[in-house]
Amino acid sequence: MFFFAAIASVAFASCTNDESVFDGAVNGNEINFAVAQYTPQTRAEHDPGVAFSENITIWSWYDGENTPVIPGDIYNPTSKTFDGGDKYYWPVNGQALDFVAVPTTLAGSAYFTAPGRAADGATALTFVVPDGNNYHSTNIMTTEVETANGGTVALLFRHLLSKININVTQKERDNANARWLVTINNIQVSGLKCAGEVVINDSWDAKDGNKLWDTTSGSETWQVTDGNKLLYASIDAGAAETEYASAETYYMLPQTLEDGVQKITIDYTIETDYLGNPTQPNTVETYSKTFDLKGATPISKWFMNKVITYNISIDPSETLVPITFTVNEEVWGEESGSTPDVDPIP
């Protein structure tokens, strides 16, 4: 699992011909970077103990000024070098520098707007997801805007999306007279806000664990299953429970859940096998169960940098009231067992 990063960032100044400011090269005051060992990668989960290896794109300005010092240079954390062999040094006049960084794969994505400077010298980094855009396989991450004027720069990244998992468990149910078999016909999550914008700026508090995107809109349905899922083709006495988990890694825009909007629907069939009893023909019953996510669990918001796992348990029996629904929330990157940040139902 990942190291959970409260976002820090980078700061540095360019080695140019302006020796009045950048004669740090003579003094050896080169900027050094430290990338957290457990910083997550952008497209795949990062095993503990494996060094971060993805290239990073970095920008920097003099604090309060809108002239770029580094207009976006690529840094390789494995070789600890910049693209093309560039070197950067702290300015000798002690002036502070603003900086921001993202994984290079995101710097070239359709969702990313390169950081810019407002007239007042403030930095803003913007991610925009248009309605209907397939962002779900891209784990958007960034550092926050920071100001520094010396020392080794720590690069710690934060997920800007939520990660959703869906698990379905069917427990064995049979007795001397009958056996119950469950087929999952369809699982979908509907009513998702799928377009939005988040702006990372000087006032953005990366250490706030419960953060949402600035704006969200749109409506989308996530088709979890890709066809029928038969959890048990047959059940042997004493068989262990079987679990179906969503195969797709699915990232959601952090959003507030609304009554009757975001829902999970599961369609399933229960076949009752009476084990060859000639007086009792087998039966097949089809069910559809929809859970309103706002009211079904104590979680009413999907925050940035959180993993939300919805657990559906189908436990068939003669009463045919077989389905329960629970949820678990964890900080993305911390080991299981952490205390959820739950937003209670009012």
Side-chain angles (χ1 to χ4, degrees):
M1 302 293 292
F2 319 140
F3 175 80
F4 170 59
I7 303 171
S9 296
V10 282
F12 47 91
S14 172
C15 177
T16 71
N17 293 325
D18 187 355
E19 292 298 332
S20 63
V21 175
F22 293 107
D23 58 1
V26 177
N27 300 324
N29 297 325
E30 184 178 351
I31 303 297
N32 296 311
F33 300 92
V35 180
Q37 187 176 30
Y38 304 121
T39 298
Q41 311 285 27
T42 59
R43 294 185 183 274
E45 294 197 359
H46 183 77
D47 293 331
V50 179
F52 184 89
S53 60
E54 187 164 332
N55 287 348
I56 301 160
T57 300
I58 303 170
W59 293 260
S60 180
W61 298 261
Y62 280 108
D63 184 31
E65 298 180 11
N66 58 17
T67 301
V69 174
I70 303 298
D73 200 354
I74 297 174
Y75 179 76
N76 185 320
T78 301
S79 63
K80 301 185 183 301
T81 59
F82 278 94
D83 195 31
D86 294 333
K87 293 181 179 294
Y88 299 100
Y89 300 85
W90 293 105
V92 295
N93 62 5
Q95 184 171 354
L97 301 169
D98 291 340
F99 53 87
V100 69
V102 299
T104 300
T105 51
L106 289 181
S109 76
Y111 323 114
F112 171 73
T113 301
R117 301 285 275 184
D120 61 358
T123 303
L125 174 68
T126 303
F127 287 91
V128 176
V129 174
D131 194 357
N133 218 314
N134 185 23
Y135 64 92
H136 306 115
S137 62
T138 301
N139 175 7
I140 299 175
M141 296 193 307
T142 186
T143 59
E144 76 174 343
V145 178
E146 281 287 346
T147 300
N149 58 1
T152 298
V153 179
L155 300 178
L156 308 177
F157 290 81
R158 180 185 180 85
H159 305 271
L160 300 185
L161 299 178
S162 308
K163 182 178 179 182
I164 305 295
N165 296 326
I166 295 177
N167 296 328
V168 181
T169 302
Q170 187 230 314
K171 297 181 179 179
E172 173 201 356
R173 279 292 176 257
D174 62 357
N175 57 33
N177 301 312
R179 175 180 294 151
W180 293 272
L181 307 176
V182 174
T183 301
I184 304 299
N185 300 317
N186 184 55
I187 304 172
Q188 67 179 23
V189 186
S190 58
L192 303 174
K193 301 296 182 63
C194 58
E197 177 180 286
V198 61
V199 179
I200 314 302
N201 54 34
D202 294 331
S203 63
W204 197 79
D205 182 5
K207 297 180 181 180
D208 181 355
N210 295 339
K211 294 191 69 64
L212 300 169
W213 276 42
D214 299 326
T215 61
T216 54
S217 62
S219 182
E220 182 184 41
T221 296
W222 171 28
Q223 199 72 23
V224 180
T225 55
D226 55 0
N228 291 350
K229 299 292 181 182
L230 181 65
L231 273 69
Y232 277 119
S234 63
I235 301 178
D236 297 326
E241 65 183 32
T242 295
E243 181 174 285
Y244 165 75
S246 52
E248 181 182 4
T249 297
Y250 205 83
Y251 306 120
M252 303 286 196
L253 294 185
Q255 58 196 263
T256 299
L257 305 183
E258 302 175 19
D259 290 325
V261 177
Q262 296 91 347
K263 301 176 181 180
I264 290 181
T265 299
I266 180 168
D267 300 326
Y268 59 99
T269 299
I270 297 180
E271 177 186 353
T272 305
D273 181 355
Y274 287 97
L275 306 178
N277 185 342
T279 65
Q280 180 64 64
N282 294 349
T283 62
V284 177
E285 300 286 343
T286 299
Y287 299 89
S288 181
K289 180 68 174 179
T290 297
F291 296 96
D292 186 341
L293 295 183
K294 171 65 182 296
T297 76
I299 294 177
S300 63
K301 296 178 181 179
W302 294 335
F303 291 116
M304 293 182 190
N305 207 69
K306 295 296 175 65
V307 179
I308 300 99
T309 302
Y310 290 102
N311 303 293
I312 301 170
S313 178
I314 301 175
D315 192 358
S317 68
E318 292 174 296
T319 61
L320 294 181
V321 185
I323 192 164
T324 58
F325 186 80
T326 61
V327 68
N328 180 57
E329 178 190 78
E330 296 178 296
V331 173
W332 193 341
E334 288 190 349
E335 296 181 359
S336 59
S338 60
T339 303
D341 291 319
V342 173
D343 186 55
I345 299 173

